[in-house]
Amino acid sequence: MAVPAPLAKLGQTIGGFSIGQRTVAIIGIAVLVLGGIALATFVTQPRYSPLFTGLQAADASAIVEQLKTDGIPYELSNGGATIMVPEENVYDARLKAAAAGMPTAGQGGYSLLDDMGVTSSEFQQSVTYKRALEGELAKTVEALDGVKMASVKLAIPEETVFVDSKVDPTASIFVETTPGTTLTRDQVQSVVHLASAAVDGLKPENVAVVDAAGTLLSAVGVGATGGVDAQASDYEERIQAAVQGMLDRVVGRGNATVAVAADMSMESAERTEESFTDPKGAPALTESTKTENYEGTGGGSAGVLGPDNIAVPENSTGDGTFTSETSDRTNAVNKVTENRSIPAGSLERQTISVALDAASTQGLDVDKVTEMVSAAAGINTDRGDLVSVNVIPFNAEDATAAQDALAAANADAEAARKAELMRTLVIAGASVLALLLILAVILFRRRNKQNREPLDIGEFHEYEALPDKFQSLDAPATTSIPSIPVPAAVAAPVPVPAFGADEDSARKRSDLDAMAASDPAMMADYLRTVMDDRANA
């Protein structure tokens, strides 16, 4: 069967390669094949998605056994708490796991109420309901970013008809965050209010939150906002940031510094106030009037009292008149009863100290700056707040040291960049040099191969003459052509034709023998020239 022309040409080209060229070609083909295999493996590899996260060891083991039985590939991550499966198998695997009742540790919340029978006692119902509520709250807290695991415990007192003996419910929440994550104050406050809103009668200040490191994030009686010290620190940071930002825009960054000190009340109290006011027009709520009139004669007069309390008659007879009027009125009065709950942490007094750099605040009105700071911080002089603004020279040693350190860092970075560039150039130069050396070796080997091809001496009669200085040489007939070293690869016997009795051929052979005997180097150059002419013919 005839070989196609392109394949035949490719075979001829490959056959003309030297050993170095064949080695480079084989290495290149191997690299291409391995790269293609790696690319195909990466493209065909399935993409994995989480099947379950936050699993307990027992649940993870059971789910892995189920995946092995179903022949579904899987990967474990996050210390075995997360199981990854191919995307196309996620939903099927979840359905099969749910049908098998896995994961069991995740079965909580209101699903506990499904297993209760009609014969359950009131105590069992109460405990099961509390467990269900705890499970639902734990699931909700675990859904927050950064929370790995959560546990909620509720203390719900029994209901009673006696108001005086009623106790408020409390809650404790344990959270374990992912590595490198810390819950912020806002997140803790969200957890506290989430729990208090989910349980009837639970107040935010009755929720305690603790993390895995044992840090108290929210204490009972204080709430999620933290203690008085934390509230004072938050207030001071907020006011300091507001004033500092304003001064940076006015005098420039680094030319002003602000310090804030806040005094917070550490006492909490309940206060009840009643106030009364007279309504306009003074309307009467209730009013009654009683009037008595008496006129007539008769009857002895009582007289007047004498000594020893004995009445002395004054007149025996006389006229009498009696008038009596009684009025009762209840006027309307405005009454206001106010109950106040005063928590700990209310601001009692604050002081602000501002220092301005004298070198950068020439001609600055200090009074206006003081007024601006007072307005920005909400200064209340009746409360005893104080603002102090002073213009003083700043110490520039730290700034100079920082500039020097920055300049040194920039210099080091520039030196590292130059060193990296130089290293890259050296590597590139070495690579180019190695490539040139390889090409030179390949060309040298190819040229040597061409120079060592077998020579048919019988064809020398086609050339007209030898160099002039050898035309007159008379070599003896017994002189033979010296042996020329030939590589082993081309050491096959060279056919030498018989010269016979032709005088011209004998003369040329004699000249060759003489040139080879007297000047072998020139003989080699002559042979090389003949070979090049044959190659170019």
Side-chain angles (χ1 to χ4, degrees), residues 51-52 61-74 83 85-86 88-100 102:
L51 178 63
F52 292 104
S61 176
I63 293 175
V64 166
E65 291 297 332
Q66 181 66 34
L67 294 176
K68 289 181 180 179
T69 304
D70 297 337
I72 299 176
Y74 66 90
I83 300 178
V85 297
E88 60 271 13
N89 301 118
V90 171
Y91 299 106
D92 294 339
R94 284 180 183 174
L95 292 176
K96 291 182 179 179
M102 295 181 296

Side-chain angles (χ1 to χ4, degrees), residues 154-166:
L154 300 176
I156 303 177
E158 296 182 359
E159 296 182 358
T160 177
V161 296
F162 301 101
V163 180
D164 294 339
S165 60
K166 185 177 181 180

Side-chain angles (χ1 to χ4, degrees), residues 15-245:
F17 284 176
S18 63
I19 298 178
Q21 291 176 330
R22 292 179 182 178
T23 303
V24 173
I26 292 173
I27 293 175
I29 294 173
V31 170
L32 291 177
V33 171
L34 293 178
I37 294 174
L39 180 61
T41 304
F42 176 77
V43 171
T44 58
Q45 186 177 8
R47 299 179 59 183
Y48 283 79
S49 296
L51 178 63
F52 292 104
T53 59
L55 294 174
Q56 301 295 331
D59 292 335
S61 176
I63 293 175
V64 166
E65 291 297 332
Q66 181 66 34
L67 294 176
K68 289 181 180 179
T69 304
D70 297 337
I72 299 176
Y74 66 90
E75 292 181 357
L76 298 178
S77 61
N78 195 16
T82 301
I83 300 178
M84 310 283 289
V85 297
E87 290 183 347
E88 60 271 13
N89 301 118
V90 171
Y91 299 106
D92 294 339
R94 284 180 183 174
L95 292 176
K96 291 182 179 179
M102 295 181 296
T104 57
Q107 291 182 353
Y110 292 124
S111 61
L112 296 174
L113 303 176
D114 298 337
D115 299 332
M116 293 187 62
V118 294
T119 59
S120 300
S121 64
E122 183 178 355
F123 175 76
Q124 291 177 334
Q125 294 177 0
S126 176
V127 172
T128 304
Y129 174 73
K130 187 178 72 170
R131 289 178 56 198
L133 195 58
E134 292 172 349
E136 291 295 332
L137 286 174
K139 290 180 181 179
T140 306
V141 175
E142 288 176 356
L144 296 176
D145 292 338
V147 177
K148 180 180 178 182
M149 189 270 292
S151 176
V152 180
K153 301 298 179 184
L154 300 176
I156 303 177
E158 296 182 359
E159 296 182 358
T160 177
V161 296
F162 301 101
V163 180
D164 294 339
S165 60
K166 185 177 181 180
V167 180
D168 294 333
T170 59
S172 61
I173 302 175
F174 172 82
V175 293
E176 181 182 358
T177 59
T178 56
T181 303
T182 302
L183 294 181
T184 62
R185 190 174 301 276
D186 293 338
Q187 289 177 316
V188 175
Q189 187 175 3
S190 301
V191 172
V192 169
H193 285 278
L194 177 68
S196 64
V199 180
D200 185 20
L202 181 60
K203 298 179 181 179
E205 58 267 19
N206 291 334
V207 179
V209 181
V210 182
D211 63 3
T215 305
L216 184 62
L217 304 178
S218 176
V220 175
V222 177
T225 56
V228 176
D229 294 338
Q231 296 182 44
S233 299
D234 292 343
Y235 179 81
E236 291 170 356
E237 291 177 0
R238 186 171 66 252
I239 298 300
Q240 181 179 358
V243 177
Q244 186 70 55

Side-chain angles (χ1 to χ4, degrees), residues 49 93 104 112 160 195 210 237 241-242 288 308 348 387 410 423 479 505 535:
S49 296
T104 57
L112 296 174
T160 177
V210 182
E237 291 177 0
S288 64
D308 299 330
E348 292 185 346
V387 176
N410 292 334
R423 188 173 70 88
T479 303
S505 297

Side-chain angles (χ1 to χ4, degrees), residues 320-331:
T321 301
F322 176 78
T323 301
S324 174
E325 183 176 353
T326 303
S327 178
D328 295 331
R329 174 181 293 182
T330 302
N331 291 330

